[in-house]
Amino acid sequence: MFVRKLVEKASKKHHIGGISGLRAEDVSPRLAFHYGVPADAALLAYDPALHVLAVATRNGQIKLFGRDNTQALLQSPSPVPSKFLRFAEGQGVLLNIWDIDTKKLCYVHPFEKEITAFSVLQNSFYIYVGDSFGNVSLLKLDLGQTCLVDMPYWIPFSESYGSGANVGNEVEVAFVSPQPLAENNRVLIIFRDGIMSLWDIKTNKVVSLSGKSMQQQSHQEAKTVTSACWACAKGSKIAIGFDSGDIYLWSIPDILNAQNLSSMGNQNLPLQRLNLGYKLDRVSIVSLRWVNSDGKAGRLYVNGFSDHAYLFQVLILNEGSESRIVKMVLPLTEACQGMELVSGLSDPNKHKQSALVLLLKSGQICLYDDSEIHYLLHAQSRSPQALPNYSSVKLPYGDPSITAAKFYTSSADIHKTRNLYVTGHLDGTIRFWDASCPLLLQNLMIKQQNEENSPSGTPITSLQFDMSSSILIYGDRSGTVRIITFRKDSSDNIFSFLHAKQGESYNVRCIKLKGAVTSISLISNSKRVAVGTEKGIVSVVSIEDASILYQKQLECRVSGGIASLQFEMYSHNGYDKDLLLVGMEDSTIFILEEETGKLLNTNPVQTNKPSRALLMQTLELSPDDPSVSDTHDTVSKESLLLLCTENAIRLFSLSHAIQGMKNIINKKKPNGSCCFASLIHSVSSEIGLLLVFSNGKIEIRSLPDLSILKEASLRGFSYTRNLNSSSSIACSSDGEIILVNGEETFFFSTLCQNDIYRHVDSINTIYRKDNLPREESSYVVKSPREKKKGIFGMIMKDAKAIKGKQSDANGDEQFTATTSEELSSIFSCANFAPVSEKRNSSIKDDENIELDIDDINIDDNPQKQKGPHFPGLSKQKISKGFQSLREKLKPRTEEKVNSGNRKPEDDTSVSQVDQIKMKYGYATNDDSTSLPKMIGNKLQENIKKLEGINIRAGDMANGAQSFSAMAKELLRNTKNEKATSSSTT
């Protein structure tokens, strides 16, 4: 059954009789699967919790690589480049918000200014965004709504830059990152001119300002910050790279030495300048990465490249103030565009290991063993070439480059092989691949030996494989044609030849022709094969003994050879004749008599201007085909000749072409340069025309009217035609296409048929929310209250213990880490006047809301709550309400003071005052005449305490409770005063 289907499909390509055209409902162009690294890759990101590597391109694509060779392609609606690429670790979210489970772009956040820096506060939902005006904004990831929310908290340029900040002279942010060990308390901002500002989140002020010397140098020598990274586990050292090739190490006040902050708060000189050879050629430092190795030293990965040079180095940095420079140059063959450090990779010889992932300019991803780098550095090895590139994300079937390919599919399923992909390569090998799954599996490789028994290495230029007879014919650049006949075993396994060995299961016959082989054509169960060369020679060869039956030299208007060959049986008015149609590179068509090679059309069919031929095929439309027009009814019932060139599609009358006359039945000019054409067949034998363009556009057209049924586009695909090109296209008879482009492969389907490839869904599943492995569940952040501590959280825990011991010993002011609840309270409040109209409008909506004393619930037995929690009240409302309340209470207080001077209070009132004093820790007093004044003072003190809520959000709850108790006492005293006054009068 399987053999018969393949033979039928193959025969359709050569003898098409009574066919009907495809309809729009038969066509469904779509990308079935993408394999490899996109050619336009530019950025890398890694999620250590889910072990997912993301590669972003310049055209809006993001490729994801997960465990067990899983991979998926994300495509944004617009082909715009990604400027920053970050994961919300452990959440299955890639920012701007991609859900990597559903592989959909859930949300695009509009930003008013150009984003120049981007950093995710890991183990939380907050994101720092630096812009071209020097401001740092805060976004919050809302997983419930799958969106990003603007937070009121922000860091304006005028506050963070220092005294040199002027309106109109803003300096854009080049780097923003939370400080290690103080992620929830401090953030470092580095401006493009080299100024570094360490910002305290809770106090809303600059803790340390450094880099003034860099600013002065930037005026003298044009240079700007291009990259930066922390170079110390405790956040006390930062490495900064410049476009001039300079690299500086700066000291940053860490959280463990807060008591020495004043002595090192403002520095103008760096700790060290690293001379690594970049500055000589002004190689820009495009990226820096630091790895902590043993707690005493770390490794700094330095990547620099420019238009004229590139260099990638690794060096050792000590934890001390002065670094011992031990460097090693990685032997890269091209510039590196990006790098990431990946952990948790599996290796047969090691349980766990980390790797340095490099994205090269060609799109290739290389992985270097980080432990090997560590060993060679500490051994001070001078042989970095020994560094093992132990893995790379490359096409297994694209190295060496594919120079010829054919694709065969079937709906049958024999011995687990459904689709067969045959490729010829630059090194002269032929390889058979099981394409039943888009992760291709090589089944057989044939490598020819020359007379000296050494690899020939001659690139394959053309090939044909006949499934029914198990005959493979291919030619190379030298003009050698090889005919391989596979022996069939006794079983019914059509793919038994895939386990063949030369001399045992197949034999090879060779023939030498003049010029590189450019075209091969054979018919199933035929004893002849036609071969064309670049010299314009057509040779008809006997398959049995590889002898040349005849040769014919044909002239071409321009340099070029035979582009297409086809055997055809022509029937007209009872006259049958076997023909051999020859299409030249310049689109000239010759028609030969198959048996003798006699030229039948002395005046060949030609296009007005030479154009490279892509496809030549004879057609015979069915008389009852609804697509046949009335005007062409008489000619459409006879055989037609289809010619596709780079710039046009033409239908000729075959009978006129044999007579040497050019009679064009139909002609269309596509929009663009076409690079590949093929006929495709539906299950019910309707045919259509498939066109692939050099820019990745794909069209499916009907026959014979040549109208477009549907079209699609392969973003990132670009076809180049030359022998050294890494591009190849192969199409099966049922419209399945395999397109190879550099380090990526596209599996594209055109017709409405399913189950072409196996296991596509499982291969595409990088991450699934409802099926998270148990060992990874600890990384998932459920909510701010339920979040698990990552590596920074564990370090912070140790830092607290160390700091606690130091504080107990020294008796100094103790640093208190900000909790996630406090962080949420801080970021939810506007710390400075909003910069955008959007924020202004949101504030205006709340300006008319007053806080009355009745707005606060007073309970005799209030329960103590953890953290600030006021349903219906925001910090901003409370702050404004307190100001209004102060104004209301001021005249009442003055009134009570005056009345207190006239009428002393009774003993009951005095005892109440004593109770209030005792409650708030004040000494009691018998001077009852000062009662109103004391109450007024007490009110002022408490109001001042409550105003401090704008500085420390953590004091809000205690302050509010104190105010509630005080207000309750005040109301009771007021009632007593009124009662006393009325009784007196």
Side-chain angles (χ1 to χ4, degrees):
M1 182 67 181
F2 179 70
V3 178
R4 192 181 75 221
K5 288 188 176 183
L6 286 175
V7 172
E8 288 175 356
K9 288 186 177 183
S11 64
K12 288 177 185 176
K13 285 195 167 187
H14 300 286
H15 303 283
I16 302 175
I19 54 93
S20 58
L22 282 175
R23 298 163 298 178
E25 53 266 29
D26 301 324
V27 180
S28 177
R30 64 203 181 277
L31 181 64
F33 186 76
H34 177 275
Y35 180 87
V37 183
D40 211 15
L43 294 175
L44 290 175
Y46 179 67
D47 189 333
L50 302 180
H51 302 286
V52 177
L53 178 69
V55 183
T57 70
R58 297 182 181 88
N59 56 26
Q61 292 179 320
I62 298 176
K63 187 61 184 287
L64 302 177
F65 295 94
R67 289 178 167 178
D68 303 323
N69 211 12
T70 56
Q71 49 186 284
L73 183 68
L74 311 179
Q75 295 197 82
S76 63
S78 302
V80 294
S82 298
K83 190 171 184 179
F84 299 97
L85 191 66
R86 298 289 188 276
F87 277 100
E89 290 185 5
Q91 301 301 312
V93 172
L94 190 65
L95 305 169
N96 238 329
I97 301 184
W98 286 92
D99 188 327
I100 64 176
D101 181 13
T102 61
K103 304 173 190 64
K104 293 181 180 179
L105 180 62
C106 302
Y107 181 78
V108 176
H109 188 77
F111 206 78
E112 298 176 357
K113 306 177 183 65
E114 180 187 359
I115 298 175
T116 58
F118 193 88
S119 179
V120 178
L121 182 57
Q122 297 299 345
N123 297 318
S124 77
F125 298 97
Y126 297 105
I127 303 162
Y128 292 106
V129 180
D131 61 41
S132 55
F133 284 82
N135 304 318
V136 175
S137 304
L138 227 6
L139 302 177
K140 182 179 181 180
L141 174 61
D142 188 337
L143 290 179
Q145 300 295 325
T146 60
C147 67
L148 293 173
V149 180
D150 285 299
M151 303 303 290
Y153 191 97
W154 68 300
I155 306 174
F157 171 76
S158 59
E159 298 291 335
S160 61
Y161 189 77
S163 58
N166 296 317
V167 178
N169 295 324
E170 294 87 355
V171 182
E172 69 180 35
V173 177
F175 175 83
V176 57
S177 176
Q179 185 181 24
L181 299 188
E183 290 86 355
N184 290 359
N185 290 77
R186 293 179 178 179
V187 59
L188 179 65
I189 305 169
I190 302 179
F191 296 92
R192 194 65 71 185
D193 59 359
I195 295 294
M196 291 165 285
S197 176
L198 185 61
W199 183 265
D200 190 286
I201 296 171
K202 292 198 294 185
T203 60
N204 286 317
K205 66 180 182 181
V206 174
V207 174
S208 170
L209 193 65
S210 308
K212 290 291 184 181
S213 60
M214 294 293 98
Q215 186 186 40
Q216 296 170 1
Q217 289 183 21
S218 64
H219 293 308
Q220 300 170 1
E221 176 189 0
K223 63 179 179 180
T224 59
V225 174
T226 52
S227 59
C229 75
W230 291 103
C232 178
K234 62 181 182 179
S236 63
K237 192 183 296 183
I238 189 83
I240 304 178
F242 291 82
D243 60 352
S244 61
D246 289 310
I247 303 175
Y248 291 92
L249 294 179
W250 283 84
S251 176
I252 302 295
D254 63 83
I255 204 68
L256 300 181
N257 295 310
Q259 63 272 17
N260 299 326
L261 189 61
S262 58
S263 62
M264 57 187 305
N266 297 286
Q267 301 179 53
N268 288 325
L269 295 177
L271 288 176
Q272 192 174 2
R273 175 179 174 180
L274 304 180
N275 186 11
L276 303 176
Y278 295 90
K279 186 172 177 59
L280 182 63
D281 296 324
R282 290 190 67 87
V283 179
S284 177
I285 311 300
V286 295
S287 56
L288 295 166
R289 291 290 186 277
W290 178 81
V291 180
N292 185 20
S293 56
D294 54 9
K296 297 180 180 179
R299 295 184 301 282
L300 182 66
Y301 293 92
V302 183
N303 177 33
F305 75 85
S306 60
D307 294 335
H308 56 277
Y310 61 89
L311 188 62
F312 195 101
Q313 297 187 73
V314 189
L315 63 149
I316 295 177
L317 292 181
N318 294 334
E319 286 291 330
S321 59
E322 194 74 14
S323 292
R324 176 174 61 98
I325 299 180
V326 179
K327 64 181 181 180
M328 179 177 66
V329 180
L330 266 66
L332 300 181
T333 57
E334 57 182 314
C336 174
Q337 295 189 113
M339 61 174 165
E340 278 291 338
L341 292 163
V342 176
S343 60
L345 295 179
S346 58
D347 190 302
N349 301 320
K350 299 178 181 179
H351 295 291
K352 283 187 178 181
Q353 64 184 132
S354 59
L356 172 68
V357 182
L358 302 182
L359 174 62
L360 303 184
K361 196 173 182 179
S362 63
Q364 179 181 344
I365 289 183
C366 296
L367 284 76
Y368 289 91
D369 190 339
D370 187 55
S371 61
E372 294 288 344
I373 296 175
H374 174 79
Y375 170 77
L376 292 175
L377 272 172
H378 283 271
Q380 298 188 22
S381 170
R382 299 307 177 198
S383 301
Q385 287 77 12
L387 184 66
N389 177 4
Y390 70 86
S391 179
S392 61
V393 181
K394 296 180 64 177
L395 300 185
Y397 46 90
D399 187 19
S401 296
I402 297 174
T403 53
K406 295 293 180 180
F407 189 30
Y408 307 92
T409 63
S410 176
S411 58
D413 195 359
I414 304 296
H415 293 275
K416 299 182 180 180
T417 301
R418 177 181 298 176
N419 307 325
L420 187 65
Y421 185 46
V422 186
T423 57
H425 294 260
L426 195 64
D427 62 350
T429 59
I430 295 288
R431 308 183 189 193
F432 288 82
W433 306 88
D434 183 355
S436 305
C437 168
L439 300 180
L440 302 186
L441 176 65
Q442 179 178 308
N443 286 337
L444 174 66
M445 183 178 72
I446 299 175
K447 192 164 188 174
Q448 298 302 323
Q449 304 290 325
N450 58 20
E451 295 178 356
E452 289 78 21
N453 199 32
S454 61
S456 61
T458 306
I460 305 299
T461 53
S462 181
L463 67 87
Q464 285 287 342
F465 179 67
D466 180 52
M467 186 75 71
S468 62
S469 58
S470 297
I471 294 177
L472 171 68
I473 303 175
Y474 65 95
D476 58 28
R477 190 186 293 178
S478 68
T480 301
V481 178
R482 291 180 173 86
I483 303 173
I484 297 180
T485 303
F486 294 94
R487 297 191 184 102
K488 297 181 180 180
D489 58 16
S490 57
S491 67
D492 192 27
N493 184 5
I494 186 64
F495 292 111
S496 60
F497 70 89
L498 295 177
H499 306 286
K501 293 182 180 179
Q502 184 174 356
E504 298 178 5
S505 304
Y506 68 89
N507 56 61
V508 183
R509 293 179 296 277
C510 300
I511 187 171
K512 185 74 173 180
L513 301 178
K514 186 178 181 180
V517 177
T518 56
S519 180
I520 298 174
S521 177
L522 76 158
I523 305 175
S524 297
N525 300 318
S526 174
K527 297 181 179 180
R528 295 182 177 184
V529 60
V531 182
T533 68
E534 64 179 357
K535 301 295 185 182
I537 300 174
V538 177
S539 302
V540 176
V541 180
S542 171
I543 294 178
E544 291 182 351
D545 56 3
S547 61
I548 298 177
L549 300 179
Y550 65 84
Q551 288 184 319
K552 189 75 175 180
Q553 175 79 50
L554 300 173
E555 296 296 330
C556 190
R557 286 178 291 176
V558 295
S559 59
I562 311 297
S564 180
L565 293 166
Q566 183 188 343
F567 290 104
E568 177 67 29
M569 178 181 289
Y570 176 70
S571 299
H572 184 68
N573 296 330
Y575 172 76
D576 297 334
K577 195 169 189 65
D578 291 328
L579 305 177
L580 176 60
L581 280 66
V582 183
M584 307 298 289
E585 282 279 351
D586 65 351
S587 300
T588 301
I589 299 177
F590 294 96
I591 302 177
L592 307 179
E593 196 175 69
E594 179 190 332
E595 197 70 28
T596 62
K598 177 184 176 181
L599 183 63
L600 297 180
N601 59 338
T602 53
N603 293 322
V605 176
Q606 293 181 330
T607 57
N608 293 332
K609 294 181 180 180
S611 178
R612 188 171 71 89
L614 302 174
L615 174 67
M616 181 187 64
Q617 182 72 55
T618 57
L619 305 173
E620 185 177 339
L621 298 183
S622 175
D624 57 353
D625 191 336
S627 62
V628 177
S629 63
D630 294 336
T631 56
H632 294 150
D633 185 61
T634 56
V635 293
S636 63
K637 294 176 183 178
E638 63 178 72
S639 296
L640 303 180
L641 180 61
L642 172 68
L643 176 65
C644 296
T645 65
E646 288 181 320
N647 55 19
I649 313 166
R650 298 173 178 88
L651 276 173
F652 299 97
S653 167
L654 181 58
S655 59
H656 286 81
I658 294 174
Q659 300 173 40
M661 295 182 292
K662 183 173 69 173
N663 182 9
I664 298 178
I665 305 301
N666 198 359
K667 178 182 176 181
K668 297 287 183 180
K669 291 196 70 175
N671 184 17
S673 176
C674 189
C675 62
F676 180 84
S678 177
L679 291 182
I680 57 177
H681 306 75
S682 69
V683 177
S684 52
S685 299
E686 292 89 0
I687 70 166
L689 177 63
L690 168 73
L691 300 178
V692 180
F693 294 81
S694 57
N695 62 356
K697 184 176 71 171
I698 295 177
E699 290 181 354
I700 298 96
R701 291 177 177 259
S702 63
L703 290 170
D705 60 347
L706 302 179
S707 61
I708 298 177
L709 296 175
K710 287 183 183 179
E711 60 182 358
S713 179
L714 284 176
R715 193 184 301 179
F717 179 80
S718 178
Y719 184 84
T720 306
R721 177 181 167 82
N722 56 65
L723 286 175
N724 296 322
S725 171
S726 58
S727 302
S728 70
I729 306 174
C731 181
S732 67
S733 60
D734 55 357
E736 296 298 321
I737 320 172
I738 297 181
L739 307 97
V740 178
N741 182 35
E743 302 299 332
E744 61 182 331
T745 299
F746 301 87
F747 295 81
F748 194 86
S749 300
T750 59
L751 301 180
C752 297
Q753 52 186 348
N754 300 319
D755 302 326
I756 299 298
Y757 304 101
R758 302 192 193 102
H759 313 306
V760 174
D761 290 339
S762 59
I763 298 172
N764 260 322
T765 304
I766 304 295
Y767 159 78
R768 187 165 289 167
K769 294 178 182 178
D770 56 356
N771 191 24
L772 190 65
R774 180 172 301 184
E775 63 179 6
E776 298 173 4
S777 60
S778 60
Y779 291 98
V780 179
V781 181
K782 301 290 185 181
S783 68
R785 291 179 180 267
E786 299 174 4
K787 71 175 186 177
K788 305 292 182 180
K789 293 187 177 180
I791 184 170
F792 288 133
M794 291 183 287
I795 294 174
M796 177 63 75
K797 182 178 180 181
D798 295 337
K800 288 182 185 179
I802 296 172
K803 183 61 183 177
K805 294 178 180 178
Q806 291 178 348
S807 299
D808 292 340
N810 301 329
D812 295 333
E813 182 180 356
Q814 189 175 12
F815 162 72
T816 304
T818 305
T819 65
S820 59
E821 291 84 0
E822 290 177 314
L823 200 64
S824 176
S825 298
I826 294 172
F827 290 160
S828 299
C829 301
N831 53 337
F832 293 101
V835 67
S836 65
E837 295 181 1
K838 181 177 180 180
R839 287 173 179 160
N840 286 334
S841 63
S842 65
I843 291 175
K844 288 179 180 179
D845 293 338
D846 296 332
E847 282 183 349
N848 295 326
I849 301 176
E850 294 184 357
L851 178 67
D852 199 284
I853 200 165
D854 294 330
D855 292 333
I856 304 176
N857 293 327
I858 300 175
D859 195 349
D860 292 336
N861 297 310
Q863 292 183 351
K864 187 176 181 180
Q865 299 182 8
K866 294 182 179 180
H869 181 72
F870 295 94
L873 293 178
S874 67
K875 177 182 171 184
Q876 188 176 357
K877 296 177 185 178
I878 293 175
S879 178
K880 293 182 178 181
F882 283 149
Q883 180 65 28
S884 176
L885 183 61
R886 178 199 286 185
E887 296 174 358
K888 291 181 180 180
L889 291 176
K890 186 175 181 181
R892 292 187 181 182
T893 304
E894 294 175 352
E895 181 181 352
K896 290 181 178 64
V897 170
N898 294 332
S899 64
N901 291 333
R902 292 193 306 267
K903 300 284 184 179
E905 296 293 335
D906 54 14
D907 294 338
T908 304
S909 299
V910 174
S911 63
Q912 290 176 350
V913 173
D914 290 339
Q915 291 176 5
I916 294 175
K917 285 185 176 183
M918 292 174 63
K919 184 173 183 179
Y920 289 96
Y922 288 86
T924 58
N925 197 322
D926 293 336
D927 188 5
S928 61
T929 58
S930 61
L931 173 61
K933 183 176 181 180
M934 291 168 59
I935 294 176
N937 292 336
K938 188 60 182 178
L939 281 170
Q940 295 296 328
E941 290 174 3
N942 280 287
I943 289 174
K944 289 181 179 180
K945 288 181 180 179
L946 290 172
E947 286 176 344
I949 196 171
N950 291 322
I951 301 174
R952 297 199 58 177
D955 296 335
M956 185 188 301
N958 293 332
Q961 290 172 3
S962 300
F963 177 77
S964 298
M966 178 275 301
K968 184 176 179 181
E969 295 294 334
L970 176 62
L971 291 174
R972 291 177 179 175
N973 291 339
T974 304
K975 292 179 180 179
N976 292 334
E977 288 176 1
K978 290 182 178 179
T980 304
S981 300
S982 60
S983 62
T984 303
T985 56

